[in-house]
Amino acid sequence: MNAPAPHRPIQALPDQLISQIAAGEVVERPSAVVKELLENALDAGSTQITVRLEEGGVKRIAITDNGRGIAPEQMPLALARHATSKIASLDDLENVHTLGFRGEALASIASVAAVTLTSRTADAPHAWEITGSHLGTVTPSSGAHGTTIDVRDLYFNTPARRKFLKSEQTEFGHCADVVRRIALARPDVAFSLAHNGKTVDHWMVGEMAKRSAQILGENFATARLPIDENAGPLRIHGYAGLPTASKARADGQYFYVNGRFVRDKVLMHAVRAAYEDVLHGDRFPSYVLALDLDPALVDVNVHPSKIEVRFRDSRAVHQFVFHAVQRALAQTSATSHGSVPSPLPAADGLTATAPWRPQEQTSFGSILNPDYQPTFSASPFGQPQRQFGDTGNHGGVAQSTERYGALFSGGSAFGARASYGVDGGDGAGSGGADGNGQGGAGLGGGMSGAGAAGAGYALPQAAPYIASSAAMAAEEFPLGFALAQLHGIYIMAQNSKGLVLVDMHAAHERILYEQLKNALDAQVSGQDMQVQQLLIPVTFYADAVEVGTAQEHQETLHSLGFDIAALSPTTLAVRTVPALLKNADAQTLARDVLRDVREFGGSRVLIERRNELLGTLACHTAVRANRILSVQEMNALLRQMESTERADQCNHGRPTWVQVEINALDKLFLRGQ
């Protein structure tokens, strides 16, 4: 057992000890010093800041800025406890417009390190310097306009604290992260970071687009969506990364409130909820988002390092951020081009000779002409049915494709018709004639038999839509036009940029999923939530917080379709649930919705469970792999993708299509080299 603490009388603590206690809260490691000094530099109106570190910041942290500077008579106060120029009254504390304001940082740092402060105001003939603490002497010095704070030998007088620091590289990594976070929030300020005499990072003044690309990398720069929305006193702006820019770790997430980097559970939950429909597995989205609002509506003084905040109306903030990010992610390959393309004119379909099995059919006929007949058939990789007097050892499939005209450069790459034979057996493939009268090569075991008559089975045939060169140049149809199907899984299409590959099941799944959601939203729009009365209410034990939440948020719960009543101080009863979730576990559902209402002022549970059910339905309804689509049906799918929100990913978060640019294809074949 620990020995009892000795009895001591109550007495005032010495200033040095008070400063060191404060340092324990503020100066956790060298990166905390960097953060405090950078925030002071920005509050001073700096446009250029240089950070120099030695041995991960433990030996030295020197930060120089070109801000307003500090007058010599105020320099001792800058190192004194509870002295600041940023707040003077309670009203200032409730309307904080600066990054730093506690008035303890420099005093705390000076209590555990050797600090030298050098500064010069714009009207001063030279700089002034003070070393140590507020008791030091201010002496003349040299230096440009602005301030330099030089911190050496961190924790030199508290060796126990120094033992808790990590390796030099680890501590430098934390310092570099702080510099990047702050630099990302202020692209209007130039930053330079050096370590052990070598420049590591340097960012010139520029736009947020360029600064975010420099810090988060080119992958983010080429896969991000701009956001800039206002609602009353709230504004959110920045960039949300596409799901393709997601990462295995949450190290690409930057959220700022009034210019201050924060980690807030309300904001993080709102963004995560917005991505839930498009992100795959355990991936984390990348984003740079800034929320601006009246300082009176947010409390930034709830944590010593000011990395956490508290909103006066967290529900309104949550919903605003969620809907803004969700709307941005709803953009697709079509909406990102500014408009949804008009439906594709139907082509003249040819009757399929292969059998069509209705139980496997999923048609896109609703966007084609009324007379169109779907042409699905079994996969060519399955068991074929013999036609046209097969010779026995040939399982080939012959298919003709029409000339694509303006889809190809110059329209002369292919002749009028070219027949390709696919040999599934041990015989020779067959081919037709190309535009020059030569026999097309058979695609079979021996890649031979040029010019032989096509044997095997005919696949569904349809004349493809001939796109005008003007339509291709204007990118009226961003996903282009179908060329063929690959292994019964992928659609190959051509657009103005090159080759498009589409996962037909994933794409159709997203289309159906969004249609189901829209239909359900339209059904309940302007009406009360459809509910299911429970014949026997489900009762369960609840703690005081859950009971209080149920009583306080009755109106919100009713709007979500729940009737949860308190039967006693420790018992809740669930009487109704949303009709869509009638088969779910009522107790688990009630606990989840109460937790979310308590934490976020609203609930995502209903949408999450609803989307899960609709996603399952869409997955089972979507066109399956190894189903043969006509060219017309493939084009119809492309057109629906272009007009469907979030069509770039299926509802499991996997990509539905990828673009292979013509330059990449040229490199594969060494063209132009």
Side-chain angles (χ1 to χ4, degrees):
M1 294 180 60
N2 293 332
H7 175 72
R8 293 194 180 100
I10 298 173
Q11 57 186 351
L13 297 176
D15 285 345
Q16 178 68 9
L17 182 56
I18 292 173
S19 295
Q20 290 185 333
I21 292 173
E25 297 178 344
V26 178
V27 190
E28 306 172 278
R29 60 196 326 160
S31 61
V33 177
V34 174
K35 174 182 178 294
E36 295 290 345
L37 299 185
L38 282 178
E39 289 179 345
N40 284 344
L42 291 174
D43 286 339
S46 305
T47 59
Q48 186 172 342
I49 300 175
T50 300
V51 181
R52 290 169 291 164
L53 306 174
E54 294 182 15
E55 297 183 9
V58 177
K59 182 178 181 181
R60 187 186 186 195
I61 300 171
I63 296 183
T64 301
D65 65 62
N66 65 344
R68 289 185 293 271
I70 305 173
E73 64 274 11
Q74 293 186 330
M75 293 177 71
L77 279 175
L79 295 173
R81 295 186 64 246
H82 299 161
T84 180
S85 63
K86 301 170 186 179
I87 56 174
S89 65
L90 180 60
D91 183 66
D92 292 338
L93 188 60
E94 294 177 348
N95 293 272
V96 176
H97 291 82
T98 58
L99 296 175
F101 58 87
R102 290 174 62 87
E104 293 184 13
L106 287 180
S108 300
I109 295 169
S111 70
V112 293
V115 174
T116 299
L117 170 61
T118 305
S119 190
R120 178 183 176 185
T121 58
D123 57 351
H126 56 78
W128 296 84
E129 179 179 293
I130 183 172
T131 301
S133 69
H134 66 287
L135 301 176
T137 302
V138 179
T139 59
S141 183
S142 59
H145 296 155
T147 301
T148 296
I149 300 181
D150 198 340
V151 180
R152 296 176 181 267
D153 299 323
L154 191 61
Y155 301 130
F156 76 96
N157 55 355
T158 52
R161 292 286 303 279
R162 194 161 187 162
K163 290 179 181 179
F164 283 92
L165 297 179
K166 304 299 181 182
S167 67
E168 174 182 329
Q169 198 60 32
T170 297
E171 295 301 336
F172 169 71
H174 286 290
C175 292
D177 285 344
V178 168
V179 177
R180 293 188 187 105
R181 289 174 194 161
I182 293 178
L184 196 52
R186 294 295 302 271
D188 58 323
V189 177
F191 288 85
S192 182
L193 171 64
H195 185 225
N196 293 336
K198 297 181 179 179
T199 299
V200 177
D201 284 313
H202 183 73
W203 303 291
M204 300 295 291
V205 173
E207 300 293 331
M208 173 59 74
K210 183 177 181 180
R211 181 68 59 88
S212 60
Q214 291 172 329
I215 294 178
L216 273 75
E218 287 302 319
N219 287 340
F220 178 79
T222 57
R224 62 187 179 186
L225 297 167
I227 296 178
D228 195 345
E229 292 198 18
N230 294 273
L234 303 177
R235 181 197 176 202
I236 185 171
H237 55 100
Y239 294 95
L242 289 169
T244 52
S246 63
K247 307 177 72 174
R249 298 186 302 167
D251 58 353
Q253 301 179 349
Y254 297 85
F255 213 120
Y256 301 87
V257 175
N258 289 345
R260 186 191 310 277
F261 176 80
V262 299
R263 289 195 183 98
D264 178 76
K265 65 178 183 179
V266 172
L267 299 176
M268 293 176 69
H269 183 276
V271 176
R272 186 169 63 250
Y275 272 94
E276 69 186 1
D277 232 9
V278 295
L279 208 58
H280 180 58
D282 296 326
R283 304 288 293 178
F284 293 91
S286 297
Y287 53 82
V288 180
L289 298 172
L291 178 67
D292 298 334
L293 71 166
D294 187 337
L297 300 178
V298 57
D299 184 2
V300 297
N301 198 26
V302 297
H303 191 277
S305 65
K306 300 185 287 294
I307 202 169
E308 297 177 9
V309 296
R310 182 183 294 117
F311 297 104
R312 181 169 295 180
D313 189 346
S314 59
R315 180 180 182 181
V317 170
H318 181 280
Q319 292 302 302
F320 171 68
V321 172
F322 165 72
H323 287 295
V325 177
Q326 187 187 52
R327 277 191 291 270
L329 294 175
Q331 298 182 52
T332 67
S333 56
T335 56
S336 63
H337 282 71
S339 63
V340 176
S342 56
L344 180 69
D348 296 329
L350 301 179
T351 304
T353 56
W356 169 55
R357 294 184 286 179
Q359 66 269 23
E360 295 177 352
Q361 180 261 345
T362 301
S363 176
F364 307 104
S366 60
I367 64 169
L368 302 172
N369 66 45
D371 299 327
Y372 176 74
Q373 296 296 322
T375 56
F376 288 82
S377 71
S379 168
F381 304 102
Q383 181 65 35
Q385 298 185 18
R386 298 172 180 270
Q387 298 181 32
F388 306 120
D390 189 8
T391 58
N393 63 344
H394 287 273
V397 180
Q399 181 179 15
S400 295
T401 56
E402 295 289 344
R403 178 172 179 257
Y404 273 76
L407 289 182
F408 295 99
S409 176
S412 60
F414 292 88
R417 299 179 66 90
S419 179
Y420 302 92
V422 182
D423 190 356
D426 57 356
S430 63
D434 64 14
N436 297 320
Q438 301 297 320
L443 306 180
M447 295 297 289
S448 61
Y457 314 107
L459 294 180
Q461 303 176 38
Y465 175 69
I466 305 300
S468 67
S469 55
M472 290 293 290
E475 297 188 357
E476 184 180 355
F477 302 104
L479 293 182
F481 300 92
L483 301 175
Q485 225 175 334
L486 182 64
H487 286 283
I489 301 174
Y490 303 104
I491 294 172
M492 301 173 63
Q494 175 180 284
N495 64 1
S496 62
K497 296 180 181 178
L499 177 67
V500 173
L501 294 174
V502 177
D503 183 329
M504 67 182 194
H505 173 75
H508 195 209
E509 184 179 0
R510 168 59 76 178
I511 291 170
L512 292 175
Y513 177 55
E514 291 296 329
Q515 289 175 346
L516 288 169
K517 287 199 302 181
N518 293 338
L520 187 61
D521 290 340
Q523 181 182 0
V524 300
S525 178
Q527 305 173 17
D528 292 335
M529 177 66 65
Q530 295 182 2
V531 300
Q532 174 67 49
Q533 294 280 348
L534 301 183
L535 185 61
I536 301 176
V538 176
T539 61
F540 61 94
Y541 172 80
D543 59 31
V545 175
E546 289 175 324
V547 173
T549 302
Q551 293 174 331
E552 182 180 351
H553 295 281
Q554 280 292 312
E555 185 177 347
T556 299
L557 293 172
H558 284 157
S559 69
L560 294 170
F562 291 91
D563 183 358
I564 304 175
L567 300 184
S568 75
T570 59
T571 306
L572 288 175
V574 184
R575 295 171 177 166
T576 68
V577 296
L580 190 65
L581 306 178
K582 62 183 179 182
N583 295 324
D585 182 273
Q587 178 180 335
T588 302
L589 206 57
R591 289 189 184 277
D592 286 345
V593 75
L594 289 173
R595 183 187 64 247
D596 274 9
V597 167
R598 182 174 66 250
E599 291 186 4
F600 307 109
S603 178
R604 299 290 303 160
V605 172
L606 176 64
I607 294 178
E608 290 168 0
R609 296 295 173 88
R610 183 195 76 167
N611 290 355
E612 181 181 346
L613 295 174
L614 297 184
T616 300
L617 180 61
C619 184
H620 287 293
T621 309
V623 60
R624 296 294 183 182
N626 292 341
R627 298 294 181 267
I628 302 304
L629 306 183
S630 70
V631 173
Q632 189 174 21
E633 288 172 315
M634 288 188 276
N635 279 325
L637 179 61
L638 298 179
R639 301 293 79 79
Q640 280 206 342
M641 289 177 65
E642 291 168 343
S643 60
T644 300
E645 292 185 346
R646 307 173 190 86
D648 294 337
Q649 289 81 32
C650 75
N651 48 299
H652 305 298
R654 294 187 296 107
T656 59
W657 67 280
V658 295
Q659 174 81 59
V660 182
E661 295 192 1
I662 195 68
N663 291 339
L665 295 174
D666 289 342
K667 289 181 180 178
L668 289 175
F669 294 96
L670 304 180
R671 290 182 62 87
Q673 299 185 24

